[in-house]
Amino acid sequence: MADEEKTETGEGAAAPKKGKLKLIIAVVGFLVVLGAGAGGWFFFMRGHGEEQHAEAPPPKPPAFVDVPDLMVNLAGSPGERVQYLRLKIVLELKEEKQIEAIKPTMPRVTDIFQTYVRELRPSDLNGSAGIFRLKEELTKRVNAAVAPIQVSAVLFKEVVVQ
Protein backbone atom coordinates (compact mmCIF):
# COMPACT_ATOMS: atom_id res chain seq x y z
CA MET A 1 0.00 0.00 0.00
CA ALA A 2 2.80 2.34 0.69
CA ASP A 3 4.09 1.63 -2.78
CA GLU A 4 0.73 2.50 -4.27
CA GLU A 5 0.60 5.82 -2.41
CA LYS A 6 4.09 6.73 -3.62
CA THR A 7 3.15 5.88 -7.19
CA GLU A 8 -0.04 7.90 -7.01
CA THR A 9 1.74 10.87 -5.40
CA GLY A 10 4.59 10.60 -7.94
CA GLU A 11 2.15 10.63 -10.84
CA GLY A 12 0.09 13.34 -9.16
CA ALA A 13 3.13 15.60 -8.84
CA ALA A 14 4.18 15.05 -12.49
CA ALA A 15 0.77 16.02 -13.84
CA PRO A 16 0.76 19.57 -12.36
CA LYS A 17 4.35 20.17 -13.63
CA LYS A 18 3.31 19.32 -17.22
CA GLY A 19 0.31 21.62 -16.91
CA LYS A 20 2.48 24.51 -15.70
CA LEU A 21 4.98 23.92 -18.54
CA LYS A 22 2.19 24.04 -21.12
CA LEU A 23 0.84 27.22 -19.54
CA ILE A 24 4.28 28.88 -19.60
CA ILE A 25 4.83 27.91 -23.26
CA ALA A 26 1.38 29.27 -24.18
CA VAL A 27 2.04 32.58 -22.38
CA VAL A 28 5.49 32.96 -24.03
CA GLY A 29 3.99 32.15 -27.44
CA PHE A 30 1.25 34.74 -26.91
CA LEU A 31 3.83 37.37 -25.92
CA VAL A 32 5.93 36.59 -29.04
CA VAL A 33 2.91 36.99 -31.32
CA LEU A 34 1.92 40.21 -29.55
CA GLY A 35 5.50 41.57 -29.86
CA ALA A 36 5.66 40.68 -33.57
CA GLY A 37 2.38 42.48 -34.18
CA ALA A 38 3.56 45.59 -32.32
CA GLY A 39 6.88 45.55 -34.23
CA GLY A 40 5.07 45.22 -37.56
CA TRP A 41 2.83 48.16 -36.75
CA PHE A 42 5.81 50.22 -35.62
CA PHE A 43 7.77 49.68 -38.85
CA PHE A 44 4.98 49.63 -41.43
CA MET A 45 2.08 51.69 -40.17
CA ARG A 46 3.60 54.37 -37.96
CA GLY A 47 4.16 57.54 -39.95
CA HIS A 48 1.66 56.92 -42.77
CA GLY A 49 -0.63 59.52 -41.25
CA GLU A 50 2.17 62.09 -41.15
CA GLU A 51 2.93 61.77 -44.85
CA GLN A 52 -0.56 62.87 -45.82
CA HIS A 53 -0.24 66.19 -44.02
CA ALA A 54 3.22 67.24 -45.17
CA GLU A 55 3.56 67.82 -48.92
CA ALA A 56 6.83 68.93 -50.46
CA PRO A 57 6.68 72.14 -52.47
CA PRO A 58 7.06 71.57 -56.23
CA PRO A 59 10.65 71.93 -57.45
CA LYS A 60 11.55 75.15 -59.21
CA PRO A 61 12.20 74.79 -62.92
CA PRO A 62 15.80 75.45 -63.96
CA ALA A 63 16.80 78.60 -65.83
CA PHE A 64 18.81 78.62 -69.05
CA VAL A 65 21.26 81.17 -70.44
CA ASP A 66 22.54 81.12 -74.01
CA VAL A 67 26.26 81.54 -74.56
CA PRO A 68 27.28 83.28 -77.79
CA ASP A 69 28.10 80.77 -80.55
CA LEU A 70 31.71 79.64 -80.73
CA MET A 71 33.61 78.75 -83.91
CA VAL A 72 37.28 77.89 -83.55
CA ASN A 73 39.93 76.02 -85.49
CA LEU A 74 41.15 72.87 -83.79
CA ALA A 75 44.82 72.21 -83.06
CA GLY A 76 46.40 69.86 -85.53
CA SER A 77 49.75 68.69 -86.79
CA PRO A 78 51.54 70.78 -89.41
CA GLY A 79 50.51 69.74 -92.91
CA GLU A 80 47.09 68.43 -91.86
CA ARG A 81 43.89 69.93 -93.13
CA VAL A 82 42.56 72.61 -90.78
CA GLN A 83 39.39 71.53 -88.99
CA TYR A 84 36.86 73.81 -87.37
CA LEU A 85 34.57 73.32 -84.40
CA ARG A 86 31.26 75.13 -84.05
CA LEU A 87 29.47 75.03 -80.68
CA LYS A 88 26.11 76.34 -79.54
CA ILE A 89 26.03 76.18 -75.75
CA VAL A 90 23.40 76.79 -73.06
CA LEU A 91 24.14 77.09 -69.34
CA GLU A 92 21.68 75.54 -66.88
CA LEU A 93 21.17 77.48 -63.65
CA LYS A 94 19.17 76.52 -60.57
CA GLU A 95 17.15 79.73 -60.22
CA GLU A 96 15.74 82.39 -62.54
CA LYS A 97 17.28 85.24 -60.54
CA GLN A 98 20.80 83.95 -61.28
CA ILE A 99 20.40 84.89 -64.96
CA GLU A 100 20.84 88.60 -64.28
CA ALA A 101 23.85 87.92 -62.06
CA ILE A 102 25.62 85.83 -64.71
CA LYS A 103 25.05 88.11 -67.73
CA PRO A 104 27.84 90.59 -66.82
CA THR A 105 30.35 87.71 -66.70
CA MET A 106 29.48 86.36 -70.18
CA PRO A 107 32.57 87.86 -71.87
CA ARG A 108 34.74 86.04 -69.31
CA VAL A 109 32.83 82.79 -69.90
CA THR A 110 33.24 83.11 -73.68
CA ASP A 111 36.95 83.80 -73.30
CA ILE A 112 37.49 80.78 -71.07
CA PHE A 113 35.56 78.54 -73.46
CA GLN A 114 37.46 79.78 -76.52
CA THR A 115 40.85 79.42 -74.82
CA TYR A 116 40.11 75.84 -73.83
CA VAL A 117 38.45 74.72 -77.07
CA ARG A 118 41.29 76.08 -79.28
CA GLU A 119 43.68 73.59 -77.65
CA LEU A 120 41.55 70.56 -78.55
CA ARG A 121 42.48 68.14 -81.31
CA PRO A 122 39.85 66.44 -83.49
CA SER A 123 40.68 63.13 -81.78
CA ASP A 124 39.67 64.66 -78.41
CA LEU A 125 36.08 64.97 -79.65
CA ASN A 126 35.66 61.42 -80.99
CA GLY A 127 32.59 59.58 -79.74
CA SER A 128 30.22 60.31 -76.92
CA ALA A 129 33.02 59.97 -74.35
CA GLY A 130 34.88 62.89 -75.96
CA ILE A 131 31.78 65.09 -75.92
CA PHE A 132 31.08 64.11 -72.30
CA ARG A 133 34.65 65.05 -71.27
CA LEU A 134 34.26 68.38 -73.09
CA LYS A 135 30.98 69.05 -71.27
CA GLU A 136 32.49 68.22 -67.86
CA GLU A 137 35.56 70.37 -68.48
CA LEU A 138 33.50 73.35 -69.64
CA THR A 139 31.22 73.00 -66.60
CA LYS A 140 34.23 73.04 -64.28
CA ARG A 141 35.70 76.10 -66.01
CA VAL A 142 32.46 78.10 -66.08
CA ASN A 143 31.89 77.44 -62.36
CA ALA A 144 35.37 78.82 -61.67
CA ALA A 145 34.62 81.91 -63.77
CA VAL A 146 31.27 82.76 -62.12
CA ALA A 147 32.38 81.67 -58.64
CA PRO A 148 29.50 82.63 -56.32
CA ILE A 149 26.93 81.39 -58.84
CA GLN A 150 26.71 77.64 -59.42
CA VAL A 151 26.08 76.39 -62.97
CA SER A 152 24.33 73.01 -62.91
CA ALA A 153 25.32 71.89 -66.39
CA VAL A 154 26.68 72.95 -69.75
CA LEU A 155 24.27 71.81 -72.45
CA PHE A 156 25.13 71.52 -76.13
CA LYS A 157 22.58 72.66 -78.71
CA GLU A 158 24.95 71.98 -81.58
CA VAL A 159 28.41 70.45 -82.00
CA VAL A 160 29.84 70.47 -85.53
CA VAL A 161 33.35 69.45 -86.53
CA GLN A 162 34.22 70.42 -90.13
Side-chain angles (χ1 to χ4, degrees):
M1 222 178 208
D3 288 337
E4 288 178 10
E5 287 178 14
K6 287 182 182 177
T7 311
E8 288 178 12
T9 17
E11 288 175 5
K17 285 185 181 178
K18 285 185 180 179
K20 285 185 179 180
L21 183 62
K22 285 181 182 179
L23 180 65
I24 291 173
I25 291 174
V27 169
V28 168
F30 177 73
L31 291 176
V32 167
V33 170
L34 187 65
W41 177 84
F42 180 76
F43 284 115
F44 296 114
M45 301 303 286
R46 194 189 116 196
H48 283 290
E50 296 171 8
E51 290 177 12
Q52 294 173 358
H53 298 293
E55 290 185 20
K60 295 179 182 177
F64 299 99
V65 177
D66 286 326
V67 175
D69 295 349
L70 299 173
M71 185 163 178
V72 298
N73 55 336
L74 296 172
S77 300
E80 284 186 356
R81 183 176 65 93
V82 177
Q83 290 187 315
Y84 295 96
L85 173 67
R86 187 173 72 203
L87 293 173
K88 290 186 180 180
I89 300 173
V90 176
L91 303 178
E92 181 180 348
L93 303 171
K94 293 181 181 178
E95 295 178 347
E96 192 77 29
K97 58 186 171 185
Q98 291 178 333
I99 292 174
E100 294 304 318
I102 202 170
K103 281 190 178 182
T105 62
M106 279 313 228
R108 181 179 302 137
V109 170
T110 305
D111 178 60
I112 288 173
F113 285 177
Q114 287 231 1
T115 306
Y116 176 72
V117 173
R118 283 188 183 276
E119 293 299 319
L120 294 176
R121 296 179 301 271
S123 61
D124 294 336
L125 300 171
N126 286 343
S128 61
I131 298 297
F132 181 76
R133 281 191 301 269
L134 176 63
K135 180 185 285 198
E136 292 298 311
E137 189 63 34
L138 291 179
T139 303
K140 183 175 83 172
R141 290 174 184 266
V142 75
N143 279 326
V146 295
I149 301 169
Q150 188 71 23
V151 174
S152 301
V154 171
L155 307 173
F156 293 125
K157 287 171 118 179
E158 185 177 336
V159 178
V160 178
V161 179
Q162 297 178 354

